Amino acid sequence: MTVEQTVNALKQAFSSQQLALPGTEAYKTSNDVYLSARQSDYTPAAIFQPKDTKEVAAFLQIIKDNGAQFAIRGAGQQPLEACSNIQDGITLDLGLLTGVELKEGVVSVGAGERWGAVYKAVEAAGLGVGGSRSARGGIGGLCLSGGLSFFSSREGFICDNVVNFEVVLASGDVVQANAQENSSLWKALKGGGNNFGIVTRFDLRTYPQQPFWGGVVFYLASDANYPGQVGALVDEVRKPDASDETHIMVNLGYSAQFGDHMMGLNQVYYTGADASSAYGVKDSETGKISVPPMLKPFTSVKAQVDQLNSLRIMTLMEGATEHAVMASERQRCAYMNCTLRADKAALVAAADIYTKAIEPLKPIDGIVLCLTLQAYPKSLLRKTAELGGNVLGLDAGEPLVTVLLLTYWKNKEDDDQILTVLRSALEAIEKDADGRSQRVPYTYLNYASSFQDPFTSYGEENKSFLQTVSRRYDPERLFQTNVPGGFKLWA
C-alpha cells in the first residue's frame, strides 16, 4: 500500500477540514507549531486531526489497512528530532482533543490541551496539579516520561500524579489504565512514552494549593559565585530535614545579548501554604520581598542583574506564564541529559567541562546555550512508591541531580557542529562523573537526544517489563514499527 492510498482513505472517512495537505496554508501553519524548528523540517504526507476518541480508533484502522507509518503529536513541545513528526507519513495531531474537567480530587485533561488551560481551571478552585512549568507545554510528553513540576518535591514526578490514562490500543479498543484496571499498562505509561497506544485523556490528582513564592534571579556568573550556587543546591537537598516545599533550578549559560559574560540564572520556588503570609511582605527599607530562609543562598548571590529579577508571590498560572515567556519557540533546539548524585565537586566539574566545550559555539548566529541543574530530592523519589510506581528505575535512597544541556540556535547549517560539540561535552561530563563514582545510569526521556537510550537506563528489569506490556497490549507491534519517532523498546 502507498501513502497516497492512506491519504485517500482518510479523505473518504473524515471531513476535509480535519486533514491538512502539503501546499495549503493549514498545512504550513500546523507544521510550524513545534517548539523546535528541527521538527518542522519534516514534511508529512498529511496532518490529521481527530475530533474524538472514536476517530482516533478509526484512524488506526486505516493505518493498519494501508501499512502506513505515522507520528503522534500532542502539543509538539518535546524537542527530540522527529519524535512527533514524520517524513512522508501521516502526523496524527491530537490538538482537537481538548477539555478540562474538575472532579473530586482529579482533573481530566484532553490530550490536545496545554497546561495553561489546566492551571486556569484548578487555580480557580483553589487547587494545584503537577504539570509543566510552562503554560505552553503539552500534556502527553511530560505525563508519559516523568516530568518535574513546581510541586514535585512534595508531590512527586508528573507521571506519578496520573491516576488514569484513557488509551486507544492498536486493536482500536479504548481502555482505561489505572491502579484497578490494566494496572500494568498504567505503570508502563509512567515513563514508557509512545510505545503502547494513543493516550487521549489524562486524569491527574489535584490538591489544595495557594499562591506561592518564587521567581528568577539573574547574575553574572564567575568562579567566584557559581560554584557556591551549586554547593547551596547540594547542601539543601542533602539536609536531613530538607523542605519538600522548595523547587530549585541552577542554570549557567551564554547568550550574545549579555555580551561575553557567562550568565547565572536561579529559578527558585517555595510552595508552602504559608508562602503569602510569611514571605509576601516587602522590606520597608530595601523594597525587596522577604525570602524563605532555605532559599536565601540563591537570592543573595553577588553580581545580580536586578532589573531581570522577579521574586514575588505568584499564582500557578503566573509562574507558568513566566517560564513560557522565557522560552524560545520555533528556533532550532536540542536537549540532552545525564544524572549525577548530588555532589558539589562532580557538578562543578560538569560545569567546567561544559563552559570550555561551548567556547567555539558562541559566534554562531542566534545561539543560546544553557546548562541546567535540577534536583530530585528524596521526598520526590519517595512519592513514586506511594503513588503506585513507575518504570524510571530511580532509588529513593539519595538525592540526585539531572544535568541538562539545552541549546537554541537559528540556522540548519549549524546543526552538525552544535550537536557534535554538545554530545562530546555530555560524554566528557559522564566520563568525569564515572571516575568520581557519581554518575547514575538514568536518562530522562523528555530531555534525551537521539543518540541516548532512556529505556536501557531504567534498568534491565524495567525495560523487560515495558517489553512484556508492549507484547500484551500491542501484539502486532504497531507502535514499534509504524511509529518510528521517539524511543523504541527494542531499538
Side-chain angles (χ1 to χ4, degrees):
M1 296 288 187
T2 65
V3 70
E4 288 82 7
Q5 289 173 304
T6 307
V7 173
N8 286 335
L10 291 170
K11 286 180 179 178
Q12 293 173 12
F14 302 104
S15 164
S16 61
Q17 294 184 340
Q18 295 174 255
L19 198 64
L21 300 174
T24 65
E25 189 62 33
Y27 179 95
K28 182 181 184 304
T29 300
S30 183
N31 209 42
D32 282 346
V33 301
Y34 293 94
L35 170 70
S36 174
R38 296 174 67 212
Q39 288 238 57
S40 298
D41 289 345
Y42 294 86
T43 53
I47 301 170
F48 171 64
Q49 287 191 307
K51 293 179 179 178
D52 55 35
T53 300
K54 289 182 179 179
E55 290 194 345
V56 174
F59 167 82
L60 286 180
Q61 187 60 54
I62 291 172
I63 288 291
K64 291 189 294 182
D65 290 344
N66 291 276
Q69 292 196 324
F70 68 105
I72 307 164
R73 182 175 80 198
Q77 297 293 291
Q78 189 174 344
L80 176 67
E81 188 176 5
C83 72
S84 54
N85 205 3
I86 189 169
Q87 185 63 41
D88 299 326
I90 310 297
T91 293
L92 176 67
D93 175 10
L94 303 178
L96 297 181
L97 303 184
T98 56
V100 179
E101 183 182 357
L102 282 172
K103 305 173 185 176
E104 185 66 33
V106 170
V107 59
S108 293
V109 185
E113 282 290 0
R114 305 275 182 138
W115 284 106
V118 182
Y119 295 158
K120 286 180 181 178
V122 299
E123 191 176 280
L127 300 171
V129 65
S132 173
R133 292 160 298 193
S134 169
R136 287 193 53 77
I139 311 302
L142 284 172
C143 289
L144 298 172
S145 63
L148 294 179
S149 75
F150 292 115
F151 314 120
S152 280
S153 294
R154 185 185 73 214
E155 305 293 347
F157 287 111
I158 294 169
C159 71
D160 289 337
N161 281 263
V162 182
V163 297
N164 181 72
F165 300 90
E166 179 182 80
V167 191
V168 184
L169 302 177
S171 63
D173 292 338
V174 180
V175 301
Q176 307 301 316
N178 51 60
Q180 290 75 41
E181 302 175 79
N182 301 295
S183 58
S184 63
L185 179 59
W186 177 57
K187 180 179 177 181
L189 287 166
K190 294 191 284 183
N194 66 0
N195 285 286
F196 307 99
I198 299 169
V199 181
T200 52
R201 193 189 76 237
F202 299 83
D203 300 338
L204 297 108
R205 58 188 286 267
T206 59
Y207 32 80
Q209 181 63 50
Q210 298 301 311
F212 52 90
W213 182 100
V216 302
V217 176
F218 280 88
Y219 63 97
L220 303 178
S222 68
D223 290 342
N225 56 20
Y226 177 76
Q229 298 303 287
V230 176
L233 176 66
V234 170
D235 290 345
E236 177 57 31
V237 299
R238 285 201 172 276
K239 284 180 184 174
D241 59 345
S243 171
D244 65 357
E245 296 286 3
T246 62
H247 182 62
I248 306 166
M249 288 174 278
V250 173
N251 303 271
L252 177 69
Y254 170 83
S255 173
Q257 66 178 308
F258 295 110
D260 292 332
H261 296 285
M262 290 292 286
M263 293 298 298
L265 167 62
N266 294 337
Q267 295 163 289
V268 291
Y269 303 90
Y270 173 75
T271 59
D274 63 340
S276 293
S277 60
Y279 308 111
V281 179
K282 290 185 177 181
D283 185 280
S284 58
E285 294 183 6
T286 66
K288 293 185 176 181
I289 195 169
S290 301
V291 178
M294 76 290 286
L295 297 180
K296 286 184 177 179
F298 306 100
T299 64
S300 61
V301 60
K302 301 300 183 183
Q304 291 185 30
V305 185
D306 288 335
Q307 63 267 33
L308 297 179
N309 294 351
S310 68
L311 301 176
R312 64 197 190 280
I313 299 297
M314 62 178 64
T315 65
L316 175 54
M317 188 61 184
E318 288 170 346
T321 299
E322 180 172 84
H323 275 252
V325 170
M326 290 175 64
S328 298
E329 286 207 343
R330 299 179 184 87
Q331 299 291 306
R332 305 187 75 74
C333 176
Y335 289 18
M336 54 190 71
N337 75 104
C338 63
T339 305
L340 274 57
R341 295 182 171 87
D343 178 81
K344 179 182 177 181
L347 292 167
V348 170
D352 289 342
I353 291 167
Y354 177 78
T355 301
K356 293 181 176 68
I358 65 171
E359 197 63 34
L361 301 181
K362 289 181 178 179
I364 291 174
D365 191 15
I367 198 161
V368 177
L369 297 142
C370 187
L371 181 79
T372 299
L373 307 181
Q374 300 176 84
Y376 295 164
K378 289 195 289 185
S379 58
L380 179 158
L381 298 170
R382 284 194 293 264
K383 293 294 287 190
T384 292
E386 180 184 326
L387 295 173
N390 61 39
V391 294
L392 305 182
L394 294 171
D395 190 288
E398 62 177 328
L400 306 173
V401 177
T402 181
V403 180
L404 165 64
L405 283 64
L406 164 62
T407 313
Y408 295 97
W409 66 100
K410 185 176 180 181
N411 299 313
K412 186 174 183 177
E413 55 264 32
D414 296 318
D415 286 12
D416 289 346
Q417 180 189 2
I418 291 168
L419 295 173
T420 298
V421 167
L422 293 174
R423 178 173 179 173
S424 295
L426 180 68
E427 290 172 346
I429 290 169
E430 292 176 328
K431 182 177 180 180
D432 179 85
D434 280 333
R436 302 169 187 269
S437 299
Q438 296 299 322
R439 184 163 79 96
V440 174
Y442 169 71
T443 302
Y444 172 41
L445 186 152
N446 213 37
Y447 289 170
S449 189
S450 57
F451 65 87
Q452 300 191 277
D453 185 0
F455 296 134
T456 296
S457 82
Y458 294 177
E460 184 177 345
E461 182 178 347
N462 282 308
K463 185 173 181 179
S464 177
F465 170 77
L466 289 169
Q467 291 172 337
T468 298
V469 174
S470 173
R471 291 188 190 99
R472 177 180 176 185
Y473 288 94
D474 184 19
E476 296 180 1
R477 296 178 58 141
L478 180 75
F479 290 95
Q480 300 304 306
T481 57
N482 293 66
V483 184
F487 295 98
K488 302 290 101 174
L489 298 176
W490 279 272

